[in-house]
Amino acid sequence: MIRTGFPMEGPTLGEVGELEVIRAILNAAPSTFNGDDAAVLTPAVPNSRVVVTTDMLVEGRHFTPELTTPFAVGRKAVVQNFADIEAMGARPIAAVLAFSAAPSLPLAVVSELAAGIHSMVQEYSSELVGGDVTSGGRLVISLSAVGSLGGSLPALELGRARAGQKVVAHGRIGYSAAGLALLTSGKEVPAELAELVDAYQTPALTPGRGMIARAAGATAMTDNSDGLVHDVGTIAGRSGVMVDLDGAAIAPDELLTRAGELLGVDPWSWVLAGGEDHTLLGTIEGAAPVGFRTIGTVRKGAGVLIDGSAPPYTDGWESFS
Amino acid sequence: MIRTGFPMEGPTLGEVGELEVIRAILNAAPSTFNGDDAAVLTPAVPNSRVVVTTDMLVEGRHFTPELTTPFAVGRKAVVQNFADIEAMGARPIAAVLAFSAAPSLPLAVVSELAAGIHSMVQEYSSELVGGDVTSGGRLVISLSAVGSLGGSLPALELGRARAGQKVVAHGRIGYSAAGLALLTSGKEVPAELAELVDAYQTPALTPGRGMIARAAGATAMTDNSDGLVHDVGTIAGRSGVMVDLDGAAIAPDELLTRAGELLGVDPWSWVLAGGEDHTLLGTIEGAAPVGFRTIGTVRKGAGVLIDGSAPPYTDGWESFS
């Protein structure tokens, strides 16, 4: 069953005040480390490096109450950030949440958001360790994540792809964009396509795959946030190489094909330019690590091709358009 | 000379697009660590703990273009976050910036904001190592900071004040609130009071004082963000003690007194309930560490007194009022 909508009733942030808002967050997302000026964390691995990233979600831009739930938004905010940590080959250890919201926002929205964040950080054996709440206009959620990079192997940087390597992927590609298209189509979503909607509301990323890939010899990695061609293109550009994607390996599966037929949309547009799946895209010399599949080859040259030809869809996400 | 106002001219974020916005930030705040999915940092001290905090500034709530400059807002955002790191006795090592802004915002605002951030992180031998830019309504700036806590001494937690200790402070108290009152009074600010306005626009915090205090034996610490009575009261509450402030040690100085006379305001209100100075307030057994002065005593009991009496001003900052 597809759930959408934000709670509209109950006491508001303005009615209960800042202390109660913070208490609601701590109830939904308890942490041993929360509650001081800053959180003090002991890295899981001695002498590890610290990895840090941040992502902001704005109501009406990255999510709309009609298409999702606060719980899903919380989970998505964590996945977006932790995918960036995983894409360095590191392990997410903590997140901090800053948000601004109108005083008229029901407290239940914040509680559900925090519960969503908590449920996802827990899947990573991580915690929400601090935050800042403030009054503003529309809901703005800013999550930052800290990770730990153990050992002496280099991080999975964008510029480390080399000709001759394989391009590997972990997770679905195009599902999130297809799910969004279904939700905004005005049509009723058939039960068998609910998985696509779910992928839009809460992208799925198995914890630890970035760390595994680094241990297995991966060199470059990123996550599919702006679109497959765009994101693989970033690796290609930074590494000074060309990526040739294998059309058969990334071709729309049955679910994407059926959604495309229902909406009259070419499902390749979701695969190549959709983004927001936050699944991992990397390069490696040897075999694809467990959980990854091979979707292309790194060659000398520049740009991104599919079976040697220019991709039909390339547009990525652009913030200020 | 007091500078206020945001640049109103030149190309906008919507006109130049996301890539140019990011380029402007990287030009103004260059970093070796910026530009990948996440930033990878090597802690300055082996086996150090990681300290993390976040703060959000919303246009019209935490700053207004008529009263400050983007450069000052950038510096203030860093001080707010780094003060929280210092208040644990740790050393700030990096910051990440997420912001949302209307496409109509001049790019010059962002460049100046980033330049302000850069100028302040540099004072801490730190860097702006990553970020996220997105389209939204009013300007929302979310900065998160990572610090490094070396050695085995405990962090300066709120709950570690003990009866018999001294209360010590580093930095001005009440200046920021006085500066804001001057700016919003509608009166022309005399040149000799410009220092107060400056303290509002960019709170001053000497880097390293938190680390020094921890090494010198400080136990609890926080920063003066919500108001002296409120923030010292948080230490008292968490530690299960009473704080008796020394009226003579915190009495409004000549500058605050003159501003109070000009505006017809009791300057004690700025000292006790002003906040936003982001200077350090701590407790310690022995002598005040260098840079700190003694402003009170920790006793058995509860709450905050001044020379044994209830303080006349206690209101702190409340987000959703």
Side-chain angles (χ1 to χ4, degrees):
Chain A
M1 199 199 67
I2 294 168
R3 268 194 70 209
T4 58
F6 277 36
M8 304 286 283
E9 292 179 7
T12 66
L13 304 191
E15 283 163 10
V16 302
E18 180 176 350
L19 280 182
E20 281 302 318
V21 175
I22 293 172
R23 199 166 293 151
I25 295 171
L26 292 176
N27 278 342
S31 166
T32 312
F33 302 103
N34 205 338
D36 217 303
D37 295 294
V40 178
L41 311 165
T42 304
V45 182
N47 284 323
S48 56
R49 283 167 278 174
V50 180
V51 183
V52 58
T53 185
T54 190
D55 255 309
M56 186 176 267
L57 286 85
V58 178
E59 181 183 349
R61 179 83 187 164
H62 301 95
F63 65 89
T64 50
E66 297 74 33
L67 304 182
T68 187
T69 67
F71 190 83
V73 170
R75 286 176 62 82
K76 187 169 188 164
V78 175
V79 170
Q80 279 192 350
N81 272 278
F82 282 10
D84 286 329
I85 302 281
E86 293 262 356
M88 304 309 291
R91 181 188 151 193
I93 57 172
V96 290
L97 164 71
F99 77 85
S100 69
S104 60
L105 190 80
L107 181 63
V109 172
V110 173
S111 297
E112 204 187 310
L113 175 75
I117 290 172
H118 185 61
S119 83
M120 187 58 87
V121 292
Q122 282 217 305
E123 291 187 19
Y124 284 82
S125 307
S126 164
E127 284 186 19
L128 181 70
V129 298
D132 187 31
V133 305
T134 181
S135 179
R138 56 175 121 178
L139 186 55
V140 177
I141 298 160
S142 179
L143 211 81
S144 301
V146 173
S148 182
L149 188 79
S152 57
L153 282 173
L156 303 181
E157 290 165 2
L158 293 165
R160 294 184 56 240
R162 295 293 175 263
Q165 294 181 332
K166 293 189 185 81
V167 181
V168 296
H170 163 74
R172 304 296 188 185
I173 299 173
Y175 270 41
S176 175
L180 176 59
L182 285 166
L183 280 172
T184 53
S185 68
K187 297 187 177 172
E188 199 174 334
V189 179
E192 67 267 27
L193 299 183
E195 189 181 339
L196 299 172
V197 170
D198 197 49
Y200 163 71
Q201 291 183 337
T202 302
L205 179 62
T206 310
R209 285 304 105 188
M211 230 170 28
I212 294 290
R214 175 167 168 256
T219 54
M221 188 163 279
T222 191
D223 71 308
N224 179 26
S225 56
D226 292 337
L228 177 61
V229 173
H230 180 280
D231 293 324
V232 166
T234 302
I235 289 182
R238 291 291 191 89
S239 300
V241 296
M242 185 260 277
V243 164
D244 193 7
L245 294 170
D246 175 2
I250 58 171
D253 64 10
E254 201 189 319
L255 228 49
L256 290 174
T257 304
R258 272 197 278 167
E261 283 165 7
L262 181 70
L263 303 182
V265 171
D266 181 355
W268 275 101
S269 67
W270 298 325
V271 169
L272 298 179
E276 288 227 305
D277 290 308
H278 297 293
T279 49
L280 299 176
L281 307 167
T283 59
I284 190 166
E285 195 79 36
V290 168
F292 287 80
R293 63 193 183 281
T294 301
I295 62 165
T297 309
V298 184
R299 303 191 194 283
K300 289 185 185 171
V304 179
L305 301 178
I306 299 178
D307 299 330
S309 304
Y313 304 96
T314 59
D315 284 354
W317 175 271
E318 156 61 47
S319 277
F320 295 102
S321 62
Chain B
M1 199 199 68
I2 294 168
R3 268 194 68 207
T4 59
F6 278 36
M8 305 286 283
E9 294 180 5
T12 66
L13 304 191
E15 284 163 8
V16 302
E18 181 176 351
L19 280 183
E20 281 302 318
V21 175
I22 293 172
R23 199 165 295 151
I25 294 171
L26 292 176
N27 279 342
S31 167
T32 312
F33 302 103
N34 205 338
D36 217 303
D37 295 294
V40 178
L41 310 165
T42 303
V45 183
N47 283 323
S48 56
R49 284 167 278 172
V50 180
V51 182
V52 58
T53 186
T54 190
D55 255 310
M56 187 177 266
L57 287 86
V58 178
E59 181 182 349
R61 180 82 188 164
H62 301 95
F63 65 89
T64 50
E66 296 74 32
L67 304 182
T68 187
T69 67
F71 189 84
V73 170
R75 285 176 63 84
K76 186 170 189 163
V78 174
V79 170
Q80 279 193 350
N81 271 278
F82 282 9
D84 286 330
I85 302 281
E86 294 262 355
M88 304 309 291
R91 182 189 151 191
I93 57 172
V96 290
L97 164 72
F99 78 86
S100 69
S104 60
L105 191 80
L107 180 64
V109 173
V110 173
S111 298
E112 205 187 310
L113 174 76
I117 290 173
H118 185 62
S119 84
M120 187 57 89
V121 293
Q122 282 217 306
E123 291 187 19
Y124 284 81
S125 308
S126 164
E127 283 186 21
L128 181 71
V129 298
D132 187 31
V133 304
T134 182
S135 178
R138 56 176 123 179
L139 185 56
V140 177
I141 297 162
S142 179
L143 210 81
S144 301
V146 174
S148 181
L149 188 79
S152 56
L153 282 173
L156 303 181
E157 289 166 3
L158 293 165
R160 294 183 56 239
R162 296 292 174 264
Q165 294 180 333
K166 294 190 184 81
V167 180
V168 296
H170 164 75
R172 304 296 187 185
I173 299 173
Y175 271 40
S176 175
L180 176 59
L182 285 166
L183 279 172
T184 54
S185 68
K187 298 188 178 174
E188 198 174 333
V189 180
E192 67 268 27
L193 299 183
E195 188 181 341
L196 299 172
V197 170
D198 198 49
Y200 163 72
Q201 291 183 336
T202 303
L205 179 62
T206 309
R209 284 304 105 187
M211 230 170 28
I212 294 288
R214 176 168 167 254
T219 55
M221 187 163 281
T222 191
D223 71 308
N224 179 27
S225 56
D226 292 338
L228 177 63
V229 173
H230 179 279
D231 292 324
V232 165
T234 301
I235 288 181
R238 292 290 190 88
S239 300
V241 296
M242 184 260 277
V243 165
D244 193 7
L245 293 170
D246 174 1
I250 58 171
D253 64 10
E254 202 190 319
L255 227 48
L256 291 174
T257 304
R258 270 198 277 167
E261 283 166 6
L262 182 70
L263 303 182
V265 171
D266 181 356
W268 275 101
S269 66
W270 298 325
V271 169
L272 297 178
E276 289 228 304
D277 289 309
H278 297 294
T279 50
L280 299 176
L281 307 167
T283 60
I284 190 165
E285 196 78 36
V290 167
F292 288 80
R293 63 194 183 281
T294 302
I295 62 164
T297 310
V298 184
R299 302 191 195 283
K300 290 183 185 173
V304 179
L305 301 178
I306 299 178
D307 298 331
S309 304
Y313 304 97
T314 59
D315 285 355
W317 175 271
E318 156 61 47
S319 278
F320 295 103
S321 63

